[in-house]
Amino acid sequence: MKVKIGELARMTGCQVVTIRYYEKEGLLKAPERTEGNYRLYGDDAIARLQFILHCRQHGMNLSEIRDLLTFSDNPTVSCDWINTLIKKHIMDVDRQINDLLHLKEHLKSLYDKCDGGKKSECGILKSLNSFENCTYCQKMKRKKSLPQ
Amino acid sequence: MKVKIGELARMTGCQVVTIRYYEKEGLLKAPERTEGNYRLYGDDAIARLQFILHCRQHGMNLSEIRDLLTFSDNPTVSCDWINTLIKKHIMDVDRQINDLLHLKEHLKSLYDKCDGGKKSECGILKSLNSFENCTYCQKMKRKKSLPQ
DNA sequence: ATAGGATCTATAGTCCCTATAGAGTCAAGG
DNA sequence: CCTTGACTCTATAGGGACTATAGATCCTAT
């Protein structure tokens, strides 16, 4: 059963423009067209888009997904590297979680330092003004996660 | 004591180009210049840049920081809203942490499903192909955090 | 026949930088 | 004094993953 782009969007929860974008980026193959030049997708295309969305949801970027799709289209080589890819992602997600946990602690310590008065009394502005007394920022600085 | 842009970059860990970018975006005031047209920064500018970096580190975007700076430059109004801003950030960070924890669980369940064989036996590719059996993705779908 | 909705292409904008090109400035060494 | 090399200047383009806009075309229902 063939569907047009709007229907595909509805089925997958992906925006129409994003589907066209994925096609332009070479993640989705150019589908067949109707006489009126409308894109027409079959089950394979639907599955492919769902695969892409699934990967995006797992934090992969478009070029990693392209690699997976290329591999998937070409089943003659070993798939060892996929485990490596997943492992890399787990470590990456772990790092992000740790950073965010630290950040949350610091934001919590900022909260309620503002007493709703005027600027000169606002504890939040004061805190944001000093890196030195901020263990969170010292830690981050060592990790070089400031803008590069 | 006045410093040139390179020195300011070294002092703050921020890149030279980024400093100029912040100026163009109106976060840093245009500094005085030497005879040779080099930017020359005083202590106030250094503090201001550190404030900006500190805020960036806390996940604020440039327009939020602009708001904070505008407020900070104009101390006649109440600062109640700053607590609200921080609260919003805490909730946002919380959401990100939760999403990432779920994602990590799912990635862990993917790991080692690939046995290094050929495509048809790769458990990871199989898993990535089905949304239906993926509780993580079902959950995320309800939360509408798929590409909008 | 026409109104509306869906689709088409092409292009520009978003955010927060990062990279590049080509020119000017300045201090030290030969 | 001249040159070398490090630093700085401006202006412009690129990147990633979309999102928004404009203007044209197609299709269906009234």
Side-chain angles (χ1 to χ4, degrees):
Chain A
M1 211 209 54
K2 308 275 184 174
V3 296
K4 281 183 288 181
I5 198 168
E7 176 67 11
L8 178 60
R10 230 179 28 70
M11 289 167 75
T12 57
C14 180
Q15 286 217 331
V16 167
V17 274
T18 307
I19 296 173
R20 286 196 281 251
Y21 172 70
Y22 286 160
E23 181 181 330
K24 209 178 64 177
E25 290 299 303
L27 298 177
L28 291 173
K29 294 167 184 166
E32 55 171 312
R33 301 281 183 130
T34 67
E35 284 194 8
N37 200 32
Y38 285 8
R39 287 171 179 83
L40 219 46
Y41 296 96
D43 291 341
D44 50 340
I46 300 168
R48 197 178 176 92
L49 177 57
Q50 267 166 343
F51 178 87
I52 294 168
L53 295 176
H54 206 155
C55 291
R56 284 293 295 138
Q57 194 127 55
H58 287 78
M60 300 181 198
N61 62 32
L62 297 193
S63 97
E64 285 166 332
I65 299 172
R66 220 187 321 260
D67 288 349
L68 282 174
L69 286 167
T70 304
F71 169 79
S72 185
D73 290 341
N74 173 20
T76 57
V77 284
S78 160
C79 57
D80 270 339
W81 62 279
I82 297 187
N83 257 340
T84 312
L85 180 71
I86 300 294
K87 197 173 192 172
K88 186 171 141 302
H89 270 285
I90 292 174
M91 292 191 308
D92 199 49
V93 167
D94 251 340
R95 192 191 44 71
Q96 288 180 56
I97 291 172
N98 274 325
D99 285 1
L100 285 170
L101 285 173
H102 285 302
L103 174 51
K104 184 184 168 185
E105 280 317 299
H106 194 69
L107 284 172
K108 272 164 67 181
S109 82
L110 279 183
Y111 188 60
D112 267 347
K113 278 196 180 170
C114 168
D115 59 2
K118 297 289 180 286
K119 175 203 166 188
S120 50
E121 300 103 45
C122 180
I124 293 181
L125 278 183
K126 268 185 205 138
S127 295
L128 285 172
N129 260 313
S130 85
F131 264 105
E132 286 65 32
N133 311 326
C134 176
T135 48
Y136 171 68
C137 286
Q138 295 302 327
K139 203 178 304 181
M140 289 297 118
K141 240 175 178 172
R142 280 196 296 279
K143 281 168 128 192
K144 295 184 177 185
S145 60
L146 270 171
Q148 301 294 314
Chain B
M1 210 209 57
K2 309 273 184 174
V3 297
K4 283 183 286 180
I5 200 168
E7 177 67 8
L8 178 60
R10 232 180 25 72
M11 289 167 74
T12 57
C14 180
Q15 286 219 331
V16 166
V17 274
T18 306
I19 296 173
R20 287 197 280 250
Y21 172 71
Y22 286 158
E23 180 182 330
K24 210 179 61 175
E25 291 297 304
L27 299 177
L28 291 173
K29 294 167 184 166
E32 56 172 311
R33 302 279 183 132
T34 67
E35 283 194 9
N37 200 31
Y38 286 6
R39 288 171 178 83
L40 220 46
Y41 297 97
D43 291 340
D44 49 340
I46 300 168
R48 198 178 176 93
L49 177 56
Q50 268 165 344
F51 178 87
I52 294 168
L53 295 176
H54 207 154
C55 291
R56 285 292 298 139
Q57 195 128 55
H58 287 79
M60 299 181 199
N61 62 33
L62 296 193
S63 96
E64 286 168 332
I65 299 172
R66 221 186 321 259
D67 288 348
L68 282 174
L69 286 167
T70 303
F71 169 78
S72 186
D73 291 342
N74 173 21
T76 57
V77 284
S78 158
C79 57
D80 270 339
W81 63 279
I82 298 188
N83 257 341
T84 312
L85 181 72
I86 299 293
K87 198 171 191 174
K88 188 172 140 302
H89 271 285
I90 292 175
M91 291 191 308
D92 200 50
V93 167
D94 251 340
R95 192 190 45 69
Q96 288 179 57
I97 291 172
N98 274 325
D99 285 1
L100 285 170
L101 285 173
H102 285 302
L103 174 51
K104 184 182 167 185
E105 280 317 299
H106 194 70
L107 284 172
K108 272 164 68 181
S109 81
L110 279 183
Y111 187 61
D112 266 347
K113 278 197 179 168
C114 168
D115 60 1
K118 297 289 180 289
K119 174 202 167 188
S120 50
E121 300 103 44
C122 180
I124 292 179
L125 279 183
K126 268 184 205 140
S127 295
L128 285 172
N129 260 312
S130 85
F131 264 104
E132 287 65 31
N133 310 325
C134 177
T135 48
Y136 170 68
C137 285
Q138 295 302 326
K139 202 178 304 181
M140 288 298 118
K141 240 176 178 172
R142 281 196 295 278
K143 283 168 129 190
K144 296 184 177 185
S145 61
L146 271 169
Q148 302 293 317

